[in-house]
Amino acid sequence: MKKIVLLLSIACFSLIEVYSQVEYKVITSVESIVPNGLGRSRLLSSNEQRDYNEFTSERSSDKKEDERNKSKRGDIRVKDFEETKLLNFYNLGGIRFQNIVANDAVISSKLTAMAEDGWELMFVTSAVESDAGTNDGQGIFVTRYIFKRNK
């Protein structure tokens, strides 16, 4: 009898689905590749939450008059965020490898702190924006670190 009760208990518990709630967080590094060290470089992290549904509308070719999202840009902006200074890739002498290594150390520190807080690094994506045309003088290197953890 005890074996039957045990087997039934195990069967019942195996049928129960436990849904884990997950949250995601994005950390962004923006590193200047502007010559002469004139740019600004930062590591950014939002302290506020936003619900994308508040800023989303649906459109289709079937509807003549789609509902446009009436949210204002100011409603989307986040004013409570963490901003960590990073060094620019360039200074007056050109590319500055010490600056790159210093940024790596600061970013590594942030990633380690995130891991200690239970965040798991899921994805890293990066991009460079630079026109590189005549007298460009503009450019940034952006990296997004996407984390997740169970709530």
Side-chain angles (χ1 to χ4, degrees), residues 15-69:
L15 294 175
I16 297 173
E17 292 186 31
V18 178
Y19 290 100
S20 173
Q21 291 186 348
V22 177
E23 62 181 327
Y24 293 90
K25 185 163 185 78
V26 178
I27 306 298
T28 302
S29 65
V30 179
E31 296 172 279
S32 171
I33 54 176
V34 175
N36 301 324
L38 298 175
R40 294 185 337 181
S41 299
R42 300 287 187 271
L43 184 63
L44 305 165
S45 173
S46 173
N47 294 329
E48 293 183 29
Q49 299 292 321
R50 289 289 184 268
D51 182 358
Y52 80 96
N53 287 305
E54 294 177 23
F55 314 110
T56 302
S57 59
E58 292 187 25
R59 296 180 181 219
S60 69
S61 59
D62 297 339
K63 295 180 183 178
K64 290 185 179 180
E65 289 187 30
D66 288 319
E67 286 189 36
R68 294 190 63 202
N69 189 291

Side-chain angles (χ1 to χ4, degrees), residues 65-115:
E65 289 187 30
D66 288 319
E67 286 189 36
R68 294 190 63 202
N69 189 291
K70 304 288 191 226
S71 59
K72 295 185 172 93
R73 295 167 54 102
D75 296 336
I76 300 171
R77 285 198 175 87
V78 171
K79 295 180 181 177
D80 183 14
F81 62 96
E82 184 178 275
E83 179 180 6
T84 305
K85 279 190 176 183
L86 297 175
L87 300 173
N88 298 329
F89 281 177
Y90 291 94
N91 66 8
L92 290 174
I95 192 165
R96 183 84 170 153
F97 296 110
Q98 289 175 329
N99 290 5
I100 294 170
V101 174
N103 288 356
D104 289 350
V106 172
I107 292 169
S108 294
S109 172
K110 177 65 174 180
L111 298 179
T112 300
M114 296 286 295

